[in-house]
Amino acid sequence: MRIGILGSGQLGRMLALAAHPLGHQVVVLGPKAHDPAMAVAEAIVAPFDDDSAIDELASRVDVVTYEFENVPAAAIARIALRVPVRPPRIALETGADRLAEKSMFRSLGIETAPFAAVDDEASLATAVRSIGLPAILKTRRLGYDGKGQRLLRTEADVPPAFASLGSVPCILEGLVRFDRELSIVGARGIDGSVVTYDVVENQHEHGILHVTRCPARAVPEAALAKARGAIEALLTRLDYVGVLAVELFLLGDRVLANEIAPRVHNSGHHTIEGAETSQFENHVRAITGAPLGSSRSIGASAMVNLVGRLPDLPRVLAIPGAHLHVYGKAERAGRKIGHVTVRATDDAERDLRLADMLALDHWSV
Amino acid sequence: MRIGILGSGQLGRMLALAAHPLGHQVVVLGPKAHDPAMAVAEAIVAPFDDDSAIDELASRVDVVTYEFENVPAAAIARIALRVPVRPPRIALETGADRLAEKSMFRSLGIETAPFAAVDDEASLATAVRSIGLPAILKTRRLGYDGKGQRLLRTEADVPPAFASLGSVPCILEGLVRFDRELSIVGARGIDGSVVTYDVVENQHEHGILHVTRCPARAVPEAALAKARGAIEALLTRLDYVGVLAVELFLLGDRVLANEIAPRVHNSGHHTIEGAETSQFENHVRAITGAPLGSSRSIGASAMVNLVGRLPDLPRVLAIPGAHLHVYGKAERAGRKIGHVTVRATDDAERDLRLADMLALDHWSV
């Protein structure tokens, strides 16, 4: 088949690299000619609001997917008139709106931090009274990696917060004193079949994912079951096709859903080497109507994001079980420009190899 | 770095797919715009004897490699004036000449079938007297996958044989009643470090590789040691940089070297999923001067070539542990257009999954 991808970053690149061996051709639409995905696919260089480019993409492919949440709704609607868009628009719309997302969790019985809608100064005051402090005020839309958020520690933080986020619709969330951040990635095929990857454990630095460990260390089975139950319920509710990620907080054996990403996800990058079938391949299989591949883990693995600048690559490649993924982006502070997955036979060996990787300390933001 | 590849077939395609994650750019020179490698690399479409195209390739890259043995020597020499060519030309020249190849084996103490040079009718008669029948007359150059060969069963087959191969320089080889065909793939870095993959077992159909099993079944340790010793000696003798394959015959615990391939090899395709580091990645690592990756096997695997036409792909993808590699070539009788690797936790499970794959029987030549 011919696959169109909206977005030309590293996720599009890794999707394209997974699509070629399956016999597909890939056309990427993105704003810059030298973006990561452009080197491994046919390129349409244009902004996402360029109707003629959108039409050209639709005319050249059999199915369209996307690599980021904030695709303009108008572009998706325009494409959907001509070819299927997968995952479905409802997932994109829900994932792009923190309030709709949290409300969906609640309606499925998936536990979340306390939350309330904030549409103005008055509703912020009401929400603070209901949820208490500390709490986090987030824009409903367009926030990621710690952007578009304000931590409200004391009453003094409340009055300026709403205006400082641009007086746009927000959500106030109770600050959860969680033990660890987890996530789960799963895929659903056109036939409704579902696979879920092992629950992973994520560590962030400066609001950007730094390390993912697969499997997560010492998570109670009850919590793992809740994570699997949550993603299965979400995949079904959304009549989903493709890969979905759910970010979670672990508190004892409680699991609180934080947010979904209706796409392949940074916390699933380790699946390229660390699972029988990668998240990228399973996304491609799903959107093209093929059977899903096994999500079984291959040994234990850990992913380290390369942020800002590249480490000394020969030293990375000298680490046993290290697998390098460079995205072809220019170095810039705070920018994800690659990742390294270390694979090992068990958790202990994985953590030793991860320590070797982290000791290089060139990945600093 | 920027890597140039002479040849735009499936080997070039899989090299390019391995090179991108390591942060390299790839330029492919090949005769056809829609060849397999062209979709995943920058393309120079030209014949291999086009000097201006050769010069353009050399001007755009830091190192040049090749994906087939029969690259014109003049092209290699021309490139080598400007940028390094790896593996070294001596390997290409030796591998392209069956007599030089067999003589190298002999000089290294690597056992072979009996052989003799055949340059005319008279030397063929002499060679037949020395080696006996049955024997195989092969052109010294340009033969592959069973082409350019004549089986001489009886004296009656001898007189027409030399002329039927075009009266070109040949080699007569004694026909070895081997138990099985094996091969070993290894890599050598610029620093002289060597890794070798597990010895594999190959089955051919109609002279084309059909199935590779990794590891090979029930090979005596003495034979495995001889295979490893042979490739290590060859890599050193050739001052090799890159991936080398050695095809072997197993007779009891004897191992006879048949031929080398100074490139990534069809019997190493399973390493994409079935080894810690694929042959393609290790070739790229070697030619770019990076440390080699581990060649450790990941479970047990088997590779099935897709020859002539594609099977029903959803049925392939439904086989547990199946990994599809479609090359993007048109279907044509006798043509390798893809392969499938099944990976499993052990040999028994591997063979069950392989049986599922072979039962599809769409791979027929």
Side-chain angles (χ1 to χ4, degrees):
Chain A
M1 291 176 72
R2 294 185 60 85
I3 298 171
I5 301 177
L6 288 166
S8 47
Q10 61 265 24
L11 301 181
R13 178 181 173 99
M14 291 185 274
L15 283 169
L17 289 172
H20 287 293
L22 298 176
H24 304 299
Q25 290 88 47
V26 181
V27 184
V28 167
L29 171 61
K32 292 180 192 153
H34 296 288
D35 272 357
M38 299 305 194
V40 294
E42 301 169 38
I44 300 175
V45 181
F48 299 110
D49 59 0
D50 179 333
D51 283 350
S52 68
I54 290 288
D55 289 346
E56 185 191 342
L57 179 70
S59 73
R60 287 170 59 179
V61 301
D62 304 302
V63 60
V64 168
T65 189
Y66 45 85
E67 58 139 36
F68 68 117
E69 286 92 329
N70 298 313
V71 186
I76 297 286
R78 196 170 176 97
I79 293 168
L81 294 174
R82 303 177 64 159
V83 292
V85 176
R86 296 172 183 144
R89 290 158 67 185
I90 180 66
L92 195 65
E93 290 160 8
T94 309
D97 179 341
R98 294 179 194 282
L99 183 64
E101 187 176 47
K102 287 285 197 306
S103 302
M104 176 174 62
F105 294 148
R106 184 175 280 172
S107 77
L108 288 168
I110 300 168
E111 195 176 3
T112 68
F115 66 89
V118 171
D119 294 315
D120 48 33
E121 306 281 357
S123 55
L124 174 57
T126 307
V128 168
R129 275 195 300 277
S130 150
I131 289 170
L133 294 181
I136 310 177
L137 186 67
K138 300 177 177 177
T139 57
R140 281 175 59 172
R141 296 179 171 277
L142 292 174
Y144 63 95
D145 281 349
K147 293 162 191 157
Q149 303 191 2
R150 289 291 178 276
L151 175 60
L152 312 186
R153 294 177 191 278
T154 68
E155 289 293 340
D157 295 330
V158 177
F162 186 69
S164 78
L165 289 175
S167 299
V168 294
C170 286
I171 179 173
L172 186 73
E173 299 178 7
L175 187 67
V176 176
R177 306 260 176 222
F178 55 86
D179 304 325
R180 281 182 286 160
E181 293 188 51
L182 307 178
S183 60
I184 185 166
V185 172
R188 186 168 180 272
I190 286 179
D191 63 357
S193 60
V194 166
V195 298
T196 60
Y197 291 90
D198 278 346
V199 172
V200 301
E201 174 181 348
N202 301 315
Q203 291 173 272
H204 291 74
E205 289 222 342
H206 307 288
I208 300 177
L209 181 62
H210 176 36
V211 172
T212 296
R213 281 181 178 80
C214 175
R217 294 167 296 183
V219 177
E221 177 52 37
L224 297 176
K226 283 174 193 163
R228 287 190 296 267
I231 196 168
E232 287 166 3
L234 289 161
L235 287 165
T236 302
R237 164 67 63 92
L238 294 165
D239 196 16
Y240 202 83
V241 176
V243 162
L244 177 76
V246 186
E247 297 184 21
L248 306 159
F249 298 134
L250 179 70
L251 297 86
D253 61 4
R254 290 170 65 203
V255 166
L256 307 191
N258 182 40
E259 62 180 40
I260 64 168
R263 53 167 169 82
V264 289
H265 193 256
N266 198 165
S267 75
H269 289 1
H270 66 282
T271 60
I272 296 175
E273 295 86 12
E276 183 66 47
T277 313
S278 79
Q279 66 167 347
F280 301 100
E281 177 169 344
N282 261 334
H283 188 77
V284 172
R285 288 188 184 215
I287 66 171
T288 58
L292 300 180
S294 165
S295 56
R296 177 179 73 92
S297 287
I298 304 291
S301 54
M303 190 276 325
V304 179
N305 268 335
L306 304 176
V307 179
R309 64 198 178 97
L310 291 177
D312 181 12
L313 297 184
R315 291 180 67 194
V316 172
L317 294 172
I319 296 172
H323 296 274
L324 175 65
H325 298 266
V326 172
Y327 303 151
K329 295 160 82 169
E331 298 187 340
R332 187 195 303 162
R335 192 180 211 195
K336 294 174 186 172
I337 57 175
H339 77 267
V340 174
T341 295
V342 292
R343 178 170 59 180
T345 51
D346 57 33
D347 290 18
E349 186 181 52
R350 184 261 324 268
D351 287 338
L352 287 172
R353 292 176 174 186
L354 174 60
D356 286 346
M357 179 62 210
L358 296 178
L360 296 183
D361 102 348
H362 283 73
W363 43 264
S364 61
V365 175
Chain B
M1 291 177 72
R2 295 185 60 84
I3 299 171
I5 302 176
L6 289 165
S8 45
Q10 61 265 24
L11 301 182
R13 176 179 172 100
M14 289 185 275
L15 284 169
L17 289 172
H20 287 292
L22 297 176
H24 304 300
Q25 290 88 46
V26 181
V27 184
V28 167
L29 171 62
K32 292 179 192 153
H34 296 289
D35 272 356
M38 299 305 195
V40 294
E42 300 169 38
I44 300 175
V45 181
F48 298 110
D49 59 1
D50 178 333
D51 283 349
S52 67
I54 290 289
D55 289 346
E56 185 191 342
L57 179 69
S59 73
R60 286 171 58 179
V61 301
D62 304 301
V63 60
V64 168
T65 191
Y66 44 86
E67 58 140 35
F68 68 118
E69 287 90 331
N70 300 313
V71 185
I76 297 286
R78 195 172 177 95
I79 293 168
L81 294 174
R82 303 178 64 159
V83 292
V85 176
R86 297 173 183 142
R89 289 158 67 185
I90 180 67
L92 194 64
E93 289 161 8
T94 309
D97 179 340
R98 294 179 194 281
L99 183 64
E101 186 176 48
K102 288 285 198 304
S103 302
M104 177 175 62
F105 294 148
R106 185 175 280 172
S107 75
L108 289 168
I110 300 168
E111 194 175 4
T112 68
F115 67 89
V118 171
D119 294 312
D120 49 31
E121 306 282 358
S123 56
L124 174 58
T126 306
V128 167
R129 276 195 300 277
S130 150
I131 289 170
L133 294 180
I136 310 177
L137 186 67
K138 299 177 175 176
T139 58
R140 281 176 59 173
R141 297 179 171 276
L142 292 175
Y144 64 94
D145 282 348
K147 294 163 190 157
Q149 304 192 1
R150 288 292 178 277
L151 175 60
L152 312 185
R153 295 177 189 278
T154 69
E155 289 293 339
D157 295 330
V158 176
F162 185 69
S164 78
L165 289 175
S167 300
V168 295
C170 286
I171 179 173
L172 187 72
E173 300 177 7
L175 186 68
V176 177
R177 307 262 176 219
F178 55 84
D179 304 325
R180 279 181 288 160
E181 294 188 51
L182 307 178
S183 60
I184 185 165
V185 172
R188 186 169 179 271
I190 287 179
D191 63 356
S193 61
V194 165
V195 298
T196 60
Y197 290 90
D198 277 346
V199 172
V200 300
E201 174 182 349
N202 301 313
Q203 290 173 272
H204 291 73
E205 289 223 340
H206 309 289
I208 300 177
L209 180 62
H210 176 37
V211 172
T212 295
R213 281 181 178 81
C214 176
R217 295 166 295 182
V219 177
E221 176 52 38
L224 297 176
K226 283 175 194 164
R228 286 191 296 267
I231 196 167
E232 287 166 3
L234 289 161
L235 287 166
T236 302
R237 165 66 65 91
L238 293 165
D239 196 18
Y240 201 84
V241 175
V243 162
L244 177 76
V246 186
E247 297 184 21
L248 306 159
F249 298 134
L250 178 69
L251 299 85
D253 61 3
R254 289 171 65 203
V255 166
L256 307 190
N258 182 40
E259 64 181 39
I260 64 169
R263 53 169 170 79
V264 289
H265 192 256
N266 198 166
S267 75
H269 288 1
H270 66 282
T271 61
I272 296 175
E273 295 86 13
E276 183 66 46
T277 313
S278 80
Q279 66 166 348
F280 301 100
E281 177 169 343
N282 261 334
H283 188 78
V284 172
R285 289 188 184 214
I287 65 170
T288 57
L292 300 180
S294 165
S295 56
R296 176 179 74 93
S297 286
I298 303 290
S301 54
M303 190 277 324
V304 179
N305 269 335
L306 304 176
V307 178
R309 65 197 177 97
L310 292 177
D312 181 12
L313 297 184
R315 290 181 67 194
V316 171
L317 295 172
I319 295 171
H323 297 274
L324 175 64
H325 298 267
V326 172
Y327 303 151
K329 296 160 83 170
E331 298 187 340
R332 187 196 302 161
R335 192 180 213 195
K336 294 174 185 172
I337 56 174
H339 77 266
V340 174
T341 294
V342 292
R343 177 169 60 181
T345 52
D346 57 32
D347 290 18
E349 186 182 53
R350 184 263 323 267
D351 287 338
L352 287 172
R353 292 174 175 189
L354 174 60
D356 285 347
M357 178 63 210
L358 297 177
L360 296 184
D361 103 349
H362 283 75
W363 43 263
S364 60
V365 175

